[in-house]
């Protein structure tokens, strides 16, 4: 269904060209859009016209027209005046709204198809049959972006992104829930993952500076067939979750950049608990004081370099060695040894993952 705002914009534009007032009324006599005041006075006439067998009629000094959607009466269009010129303008306006109905219906059908494709609700044969009817190519390169906003969509975010990709009818912008907007983007043969990062930046820039609307963007891998689009969507969803756990400082995260976080995210919680119990002997990294945690993180950032870490922490090298020795006594792991450092790093990530999963249970 066409929104009232689109109808209003359409007849406002037509009035600007023709200088003729127009009004769109539904079959129950409700005014949907009008270019003049007191349009309600024509509600009764519109309802009488609905019952008439005529497709157009002059009533109360105005031209009335019926606008159909697949032989189903959808709107009554009123053109103010009863001259031949007004009749012609009314016919043009009716034709314009008729075309809008066709375009929106086609977009709705495609939107519905893409949603079911993303959610794996279609059989393989249905994918190809419906794609052919909707004139959607099946063997082109595509990728799925997910744009997560921190507030429920009021329609504005969706339209913002649609306006960005509006010039390319081969791209699809839709939503499968209240929080995320999905972009299924068709790619040229020469487009790479660097181009995807730039596209994500362009989307992100649409929302920069908007108060209270922090946006995160994730995208999956490039697929070559329509049937694989759901895989790219699942990858993007995983990237969004893993990014929320391990890459909180990033606004854009790609599935291909998840590294070991992707593996940890797929571990069952009982196995994680067993691993942490073995590493920390029932303790938790939460019990480490802030000084030790800061030291650990900075040591990892500097690739286990003692001199550079002590310099950045503004402490003596011996002080850093003392802290590392203290940590080794309490955990049995020496972060100066690569294997122990890897084990400790993974353990910290596992704890972070477990804490995140606990928040989802509440």
């Amino acid at each position: 269904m066409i929104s009232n705002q689109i109808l209003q914009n359409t007849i406002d534009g037509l009035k600007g060209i023709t200088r003729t007032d127009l009004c769109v009324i539904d079959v129950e006599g409700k005014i949907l859009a009008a270019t003049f005041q007191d349009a309600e006075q024509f509600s009764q006439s519109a309802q009488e016209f609905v019952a008439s067998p005529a497709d157009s009629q002059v009533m109360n000094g105005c031209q009335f027209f019926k606008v159909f959607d697949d032989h189903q009466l959808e709107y009554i269009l009123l053109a103010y005046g009863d001259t031949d010129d007004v009749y012609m303008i009314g016919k043009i306006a009716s034709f314009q709204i008729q075309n809008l109905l066709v375009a929106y219906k086609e977009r709705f059908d495609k939107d519905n198809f893409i949603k079911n494709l993303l959610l794996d609700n279609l059989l393989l044969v249905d994918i190809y049959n419906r794609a052919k009817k909707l004139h959607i190519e099946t063997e082109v390169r595509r990728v799925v972006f997910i744009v997560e906003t921190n507030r429920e969509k009021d329609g504005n975010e969706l339209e913002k992104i649609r306006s960005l990709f509006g010039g390319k009818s081969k791209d699809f912008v839709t939503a499968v829930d209240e929080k995320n907007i999905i972009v299924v983007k068709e790619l040229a043969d020469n487009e790479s993952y660097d181009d995807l990062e730039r596209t994500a930046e362009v989307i992100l820039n649409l929302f920069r500076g908007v108060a209270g609307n922090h946006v995160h963007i994730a995208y999956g891998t490039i697929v070559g067939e329509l049937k694989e689009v759901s895989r790219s969507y699942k990858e993007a969803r995983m990237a969004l979750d893993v990014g929320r756990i391990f890459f909180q400082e990033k606004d854009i995260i790609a599935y291909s950049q998840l590294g070991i976080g992707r593996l940890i995210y797929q571990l069952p919680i009982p196995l994680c608990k067993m691993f942490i119990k073995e590493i920390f002997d029932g303790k938790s990294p939460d019990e480490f004081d802030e000084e030790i945690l800061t030291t650990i993180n900075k040591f990892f950032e500097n690739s286990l370099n003692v001199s550079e870490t002590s310099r950045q922490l503004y402490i003596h090298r011996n002080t850093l060695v003392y802290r590392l020795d203290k940590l080794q006594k309490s955990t049995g792991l020496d972060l100066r040894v690569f294997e122990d450092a890897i084990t400790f790093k993974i353990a910290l990530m596992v704890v972070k993952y477990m804490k995140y999963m606990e928040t989802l249970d509440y």
Side-chain angles (χ1 to χ4, degrees):
M1 180 65 70
I2 305 173
S3 70
N4 291 356
Q5 186 60 52
I6 296 294
L7 290 172
Q8 188 66 54
N9 291 343
T10 301
I11 62 175
D12 282 343
L14 288 168
K15 182 186 177 180
I17 297 169
T18 65
R19 298 183 182 178
T20 298
D21 279 310
L22 300 163
C23 177
V24 181
I25 309 169
D26 69 12
V27 294
E28 295 176 352
K30 181 182 177 182
I31 306 300
L32 303 178
T35 61
F36 58 93
Q37 302 292 324
D38 301 324
E40 289 79 8
Q41 62 181 304
F42 296 103
S43 293
Q44 184 61 40
S45 299
Q47 286 178 288
E48 293 172 5
F49 178 54
V50 167
S52 167
D55 288 341
S56 64
Q57 190 173 337
V58 177
M59 301 173 68
N60 297 331
C62 296
Q63 300 277 2
F64 285 78
F65 302 87
K66 290 178 180 176
V67 180
F68 294 90
D69 178 20
D70 256 354
H71 306 293
Q72 175 73 34
L73 181 59
E74 194 71 36
Y75 302 119
I76 302 299
L77 175 78
L78 178 152
Y80 205 96
D82 59 2
T83 65
D84 289 343
D85 286 344
V86 172
Y87 175 81
M88 180 181 67
I89 291 165
K91 290 292 284 184
I92 292 171
S94 299
F95 181 72
Q96 178 70 15
I97 295 174
Q98 180 81 50
N99 284 339
L100 279 176
L101 281 169
V102 172
Y104 269 73
K105 187 174 182 181
E106 182 178 325
R107 191 172 92 172
F108 175 79
D109 288 343
K110 286 185 176 180
D111 189 68
N112 194 44
F113 170 70
I114 292 297
K115 284 180 182 177
N116 284 309
L117 179 68
L118 294 170
L119 298 173
D120 276 333
N121 290 338
L122 298 170
L123 298 173
L124 188 60
V125 65
D126 291 333
I127 291 175
Y128 288 101
N129 286 341
R130 292 188 63 184
K132 185 177 180 181
K133 288 179 182 178
L134 295 169
H135 308 290
I136 298 173
E137 290 190 54
T138 56
E139 295 188 0
V140 295
R141 299 170 79 237
R142 291 185 174 92
V143 70
V144 175
F145 291 85
I146 298 180
V147 183
E148 181 190 63
T149 62
N150 65 345
R151 63 181 180 183
E152 292 188 355
K153 295 186 297 299
D154 56 10
N156 187 41
E157 291 94 339
L158 196 62
E159 290 307 319
K160 267 187 178 181
I161 297 175
R162 276 185 174 149
S163 68
L164 182 64
F165 295 92
K168 286 194 65 179
S169 59
K170 293 181 180 179
D171 296 331
F172 303 100
V173 180
T174 187
V176 296
D177 57 41
E178 290 301 314
K179 199 173 184 182
N180 300 319
I181 299 167
I182 294 100
V183 179
V184 181
K185 190 178 188 306
E186 183 173 316
L187 305 174
D189 291 337
N190 61 345
E191 286 189 86
S192 66
Y193 284 99
D194 288 339
D195 296 305
L196 301 189
E197 193 73 15
R198 284 190 282 271
T199 298
E201 281 284 353
V202 172
I203 298 173
L204 192 63
N205 285 334
L206 287 175
F207 301 96
R208 280 205 169 108
V210 179
N213 194 15
H214 196 86
V215 169
H216 292 92
I217 300 172
Y219 57 92
T221 55
I222 297 171
V223 297
E225 292 189 35
L226 189 63
K227 65 180 181 180
E228 296 176 328
V229 164
S230 64
R231 174 166 63 81
S232 186
Y233 169 66
K234 290 170 187 171
E235 291 171 348
R237 285 198 69 90
M238 181 184 287
L240 205 58
D241 282 342
V242 174
R244 197 179 292 118
I245 302 168
F246 302 118
F247 305 98
Q248 294 176 338
E249 73 284 358
K250 288 189 176 183
D251 292 326
I252 298 171
I253 185 73
Y255 178 77
S256 58
Q257 299 170 351
L258 299 180
I260 198 170
R262 184 194 313 163
L263 297 177
I264 293 173
Y265 180 76
Q266 297 177 81
L267 292 174
I269 294 298
L271 187 61
C272 291
K273 290 180 178 178
M274 188 185 303
F275 174 69
I276 294 302
K277 186 176 181 180
E278 289 174 359
I279 298 300
F280 294 115
D281 193 25
K283 298 177 184 177
S284 169
D286 292 338
E287 297 175 19
F288 298 144
D289 59 41
E290 190 65 33
E291 184 182 78
I292 288 292
L293 287 173
T294 302
T295 301
I296 293 168
N297 291 328
K298 188 61 70 175
F299 194 52
F300 284 140
E301 282 177 23
N302 289 291
S303 303
L304 314 185
N305 187 309
V306 173
S307 298
E308 184 60 24
T309 302
S310 59
R311 188 186 69 80
Q312 291 188 20
L313 289 174
Y314 303 103
I315 59 176
H316 195 276
R317 177 189 175 92
N318 291 343
T319 304
L320 177 59
V321 170
Y322 169 76
R323 291 180 185 176
L324 294 175
D325 287 341
K326 182 180 176 183
L327 186 65
Q328 182 182 2
K329 288 178 181 177
S330 65
T331 65
L333 297 172
D334 185 354
L335 299 195
R336 289 158 293 192
V337 177
F338 181 74
E339 187 176 340
D340 284 359
I342 287 293
T343 301
F344 198 92
K345 178 68 173 177
I346 292 173
L348 288 178
M349 293 179 72
V350 168
V351 169
K352 189 178 282 191
Y353 164 63
M354 289 168 59
K355 289 173 72 176
Y356 172 77
M357 296 306 292
E358 283 175 9
T359 64
L360 298 183
D361 293 336
Y362 292 108

